[in-house]
Amino acid sequence: MKANDKQLIYTLLKTVDAYECGYTRAKFAGEPLFTDDTVVECERSERIETTVATSNNGSSPVVSIQPSAYSTTGQASADANMSQNSGISLDELNAKVLRCTRCGLARTRNNVVPGMGVEHPDVLVIGEGPGHDEDMQGLPFVGKAGVLLDRMLAAIGLDRKTNCYIANIVKCRPPENRNPFPDEQAACFSFLEAQIHILKPKIILCMGKIAIEKLMNQNIAITQAHGEFFDYNGIPVMPTYHPSALLRNEELKRPAWEDLKKFKRRLDEIKTN
Ligand code: SF4
């Protein structure tokens, strides 16, 4: 397949996705760059030519595969779509999330957990997905890990009732608290993108490996990346350890605290500039 065809399909899927979410997403730093499948096309062509030539004992002409005509409008459409903004509200978006059945997690959830917090937050906190307590209450980070998260946030002057919004990569609980599968993360991610688009947080705190990996669209070792800053469409992003990891391993609390202090300094800088 040619790069332009891939771009066209990608753009089409994004447009459908954006329509369903009610907004047009900004250009994402991790968007794929498509290339032609030159090698694959050649191999396939050669294999078919060989098969036909052999079956006809060389008496019939060899079948050749002609390149098809490709559209060149994909990138232009993508850029045009990205420049639009349909202005959906957070309530409207979360109402869509509550009705969502895009992935298999819809079959096992008790409640959808769109998110919780103020509409114009300084900080967006992103977790991985709801656990048992969150699933039962329909609210993010309300179990033991949630209590610890609230304490961590309070230690640096943050609170979900005044200056934070808390959301997850997936909005429905993965059974047995397993990690959300890649297809579940992919199905749900546009909701988080839309939330970021609407909330416009000054800074983002990612709790754990899955949150930062999905947001940045790359493999990231949390043991090395915690406390470092990444960039998501101009918004500083810091990963730190998930509160559940801190509950399992006390030794992680000290580095997590150092991360939070660094995060607070950066937030203060942003607010004073
Ligand atoms: Fe929809 Fe996300 Fe729930 Fe899957 S996890 S059903 S994509 S809201």
Side-chain angles (χ1 to χ4, degrees):
M1 186 181 282
K2 292 286 185 185
N4 280 335
D5 276 352
K6 295 178 191 173
Q7 180 65 59
L8 201 60
I9 292 168
Y10 179 75
T11 303
L12 184 64
L13 290 172
K14 278 185 68 173
T15 303
V16 171
D17 196 39
Y19 176 78
E20 198 180 15
C21 280
Y23 92 113
T24 303
R25 64 177 69 173
K27 193 173 177 65
F28 174 43
E31 295 224 347
L33 280 176
F34 297 104
T35 54
D36 293 353
D37 285 343
T38 311
V39 175
V40 174
E41 291 282 341
C42 284
E43 283 174 353
R44 203 165 139 245
S45 173
E46 283 163 7
R47 182 167 54 78
I48 292 171
E49 285 179 2
T50 305
T51 305
V52 172
T54 303
S55 63
N56 289 294
N57 294 321
S59 56
S60 298
V62 170
V63 173
S64 65
I65 298 174
Q66 298 298 320
S68 50
Y70 293 101
S71 163
T72 57
T73 57
Q75 190 58 52
S77 301
D79 291 343
N81 286 339
M82 285 165 192
S83 68
Q84 295 169 9
N85 181 350
S86 59
I88 190 174
S89 74
L90 186 63
D91 285 347
E92 288 167 336
L93 173 67
N94 286 349
K96 286 175 183 278
V97 178
L98 288 171
R99 294 193 300 270
C100 178
T101 55
R102 276 189 208 171
C103 82
L105 296 180
R107 289 195 294 272
T108 51
R109 72 190 179 205
N110 286 296
N111 286 292
V112 186
V113 186
M116 175 186 188
V118 297
E119 202 156 330
H120 300 291
D122 289 338
V123 176
L124 172 63
V125 179
I126 301 176
E128 176 182 315
H132 173 266
D133 295 319
E134 291 76 15
D135 178 53
M136 296 311 291
Q137 296 185 42
L139 298 170
F141 280 99
V142 289
K144 271 188 190 171
V147 171
L148 178 55
L149 175 67
D150 282 342
R151 277 202 228 124
M152 292 163 68
L153 295 177
I156 55 170
L158 300 175
D159 188 316
R160 64 175 89 188
K161 294 193 188 78
T162 56
N163 53 12
C164 285
Y165 194 90
I166 300 177
N168 282 305
I169 296 291
V170 293
K171 316 299 189 193
C172 303
R173 182 193 182 201
E176 311 301 327
N177 290 346
R178 63 162 169 76
N179 291 342
F181 294 143
D183 63 319
E184 294 161 349
Q185 294 180 40
C188 210
F189 189 60
S190 58
F191 288 135
L192 181 64
E193 286 184 299
Q195 287 174 323
I196 296 171
H197 177 79
I198 294 166
L199 294 166
K200 296 183 175 42
K202 295 180 173 69
I203 191 166
I204 296 173
L205 183 63
C206 281
M207 312 309 296
K209 177 181 172 69
I210 285 182
I212 186 67
E213 282 195 330
K214 186 61 191 167
L215 189 67
M216 299 313 303
N217 195 30
Q218 58 182 277
N219 294 329
I220 292 173
I222 191 72
T223 47
Q224 290 169 8
H226 74 91
E228 300 298 320
F229 279 100
F230 294 75
D231 180 280
Y232 177 84
N233 292 331
I235 305 171
V237 180
M238 177 195 275
T240 189
Y241 292 105
H242 194 283
S244 299
L246 303 183
L247 290 171
R248 287 192 302 269
N249 184 353
E250 288 273 323
E251 289 181 8
L252 297 179
K253 285 188 175 174
R254 170 54 60 185
W257 173 234
E258 296 302 326
D259 294 347
L260 289 177
K261 287 194 291 185
K262 196 171 167 187
F263 185 83
K264 170 81 164 101
R265 282 197 296 274
R266 184 68 174 268
L267 174 60
D268 289 344
E269 281 169 21
I270 293 169
K271 288 169 77 173
T272 53
N273 286 335

